[in-house]
Amino acid sequence: EESLQMWDLNKRLEAYLARVKFLEEENEVLRAEIQSAKGSPAGDSWRAKYEEELRALRDALDHAFREKCTAELARDNLYEEVQQVKSRCQKEQVAREEAKKQLSLSRKELEEERRAQIWLKERAVQLEKEVEALLEVHEEEKAGLDQEIVSFSQSLESFRCAPVAFQPVEVEDYSKRLSEIWKGAVETYKTEVSQLEDSLCQAKENLWKAVEDNQQSQLQLQHLEKDLAGLKARKEMLEESLARQWQEQRGEAEKFQ
């Protein structure tokens, strides 16, 4: 077994020495070719061609480095633009949320104004009914007073025709008292009618004011809806621009790679 190993080692050493000798011979041949190439004019042309190719490769490397710097600068600019677009999107998101809040508040105010308008209408109808009821009561009181005056006149006529035991002073007192009662009723009626008219005018003014506020709220709501639509369109445009810039940046990055 040892002799077989030694024989195998001798064979490998012999092959290695033969390979080394072959490489030394090839090295001598190549050295001779190099010396002959250096001494001949063709060697100079080969060197010039090599140096020209090396110069072209250096120029290409410089151009690639400049393109790399330009691409990095464009990438940084795109990153800044993307950050600005993100900031604008965030601001517009905040503005849209604020517009939504304002719209919700306007809707609540509009609903409250509608309820107030309905209440004012009902109050106006109620006041009109109260005025009609007071007018009816006034007419009834007036008719009763007229009837009392007629009966009093008839009693006076009867007093004039028949001998009476009343003194003229009592009749005058009764007439004065009746006149005072009538004047007090008339003044009370005038006061109540004036108060009702003032209440009715105030209710009408409140109703008109509620209608005007309602119209202004509707205009403001329309304006807010237009602003919201404009913000949505602007957001979509910015998102499209951002997607396009991201696509361009990705294409340039792939091209650069």
Side-chain angles (χ1 to χ4, degrees):
E1 184 178 358
E2 290 179 356
S3 62
L4 289 175
Q5 290 179 356
M6 290 296 295
W7 180 79
D8 185 31
L9 289 173
N10 288 329
K11 289 292 182 181
R12 292 172 62 185
L13 180 60
E14 184 180 358
Y16 175 73
L17 292 174
R19 180 66 177 168
V20 169
K21 186 177 180 180
F22 177 73
L23 290 175
E24 287 179 350
E25 292 176 355
E26 283 189 351
N27 193 10
E28 291 295 331
V29 173
L30 290 172
R31 187 178 291 111
E33 289 180 355
I34 289 171
Q35 292 296 330
S36 63
K38 287 182 178 179
S40 65
D44 295 335
S45 63
W46 180 78
R47 181 183 293 273
K49 183 178 180 182
Y50 169 73
E51 290 178 354
E52 184 178 359
E53 289 180 356
L54 184 60
R55 193 180 305 109
L57 289 173
R58 286 177 179 174
D59 293 337
L61 183 61
D62 292 336
H63 182 68
F65 181 74
R66 287 194 296 271
E67 287 183 350
K68 178 185 176 183
C69 293
T70 304
E72 289 178 352
L73 182 61
R75 183 190 62 188
D76 295 336
N77 293 329
L78 285 174
Y79 181 75
E80 291 179 358
E81 290 179 0
V82 168
Q83 293 297 324
Q84 291 177 0
V85 170
K86 285 183 179 180
S87 178
R88 287 197 298 269
C89 287
Q90 290 177 356
K91 290 180 180 178
E92 289 177 358
Q93 182 71 21
V94 173
R96 186 175 64 180
E97 295 295 331
E98 187 66 24
K100 286 183 179 179
K101 291 180 181 178
Q102 292 293 333
L103 183 61
S104 179
L105 292 175
S106 298
R107 287 178 178 173
K108 289 181 180 179
E109 291 177 357
L110 181 61
E111 187 66 25
E112 291 177 357
E113 289 175 358
R114 287 178 179 173
R115 292 177 180 176
Q117 185 179 1
I118 292 171
W119 181 82
L120 287 173
K121 288 181 179 179
E122 293 177 353
R123 182 60 179 170
V125 173
Q126 184 179 1
L127 288 174
E128 289 178 355
K129 291 181 179 179
E130 290 179 358
V131 169
E132 291 178 355
L134 288 174
L135 289 174
E136 290 178 357
V137 171
H138 172 66
E139 292 295 333
E140 291 177 356
E141 290 179 354
K142 183 179 178 182
L145 289 174
D146 291 337
Q147 188 176 0
E148 288 180 1
I149 290 171
V150 171
S151 61
F152 180 70
S153 299
Q154 291 177 358
S155 62
L156 285 177
E157 292 294 331
S158 62
F159 288 156
R160 290 176 183 177
C161 296
V164 292
F166 294 103
Q167 296 294 328
V169 177
E170 295 179 356
V171 175
E172 290 179 359
D173 292 337
Y174 183 76
S175 177
K176 288 180 181 180
R177 189 168 56 189
L178 184 61
S179 177
E180 290 175 358
I181 292 170
W182 170 253
K183 288 180 181 180
V186 170
E187 292 295 331
T188 304
Y189 169 72
K190 288 182 179 180
T191 303
E192 292 178 354
V193 170
S194 178
Q195 291 177 356
L196 288 174
E197 288 178 353
D198 293 337
S199 300
L200 184 60
C201 291
Q202 185 67 31
K204 288 182 178 179
E205 289 178 0
N206 293 330
L207 181 60
W208 282 111
K209 185 177 180 181
V211 171
E212 290 178 357
D213 293 339
N214 188 10
Q215 292 177 355
Q216 291 179 359
S217 299
Q218 288 179 355
L219 292 175
Q220 186 178 4
L221 180 61
Q222 292 176 359
H223 182 68
L224 289 174
E225 288 178 351
K226 289 181 181 179
D227 291 340
L228 182 60
L231 288 174
K232 286 182 179 179
R234 188 176 178 186
K235 179 190 174 186
E236 292 177 356
M237 182 178 66
L238 288 173
E239 287 178 351
E240 291 177 358
S241 176
L242 181 62
R244 185 170 62 253
Q245 289 179 1
W246 274 110
Q247 191 69 25
E248 292 176 357
Q249 184 182 5
R250 185 177 179 182
E252 291 179 359
E254 290 178 354
K255 183 178 178 182
F256 177 70
Q257 289 177 359

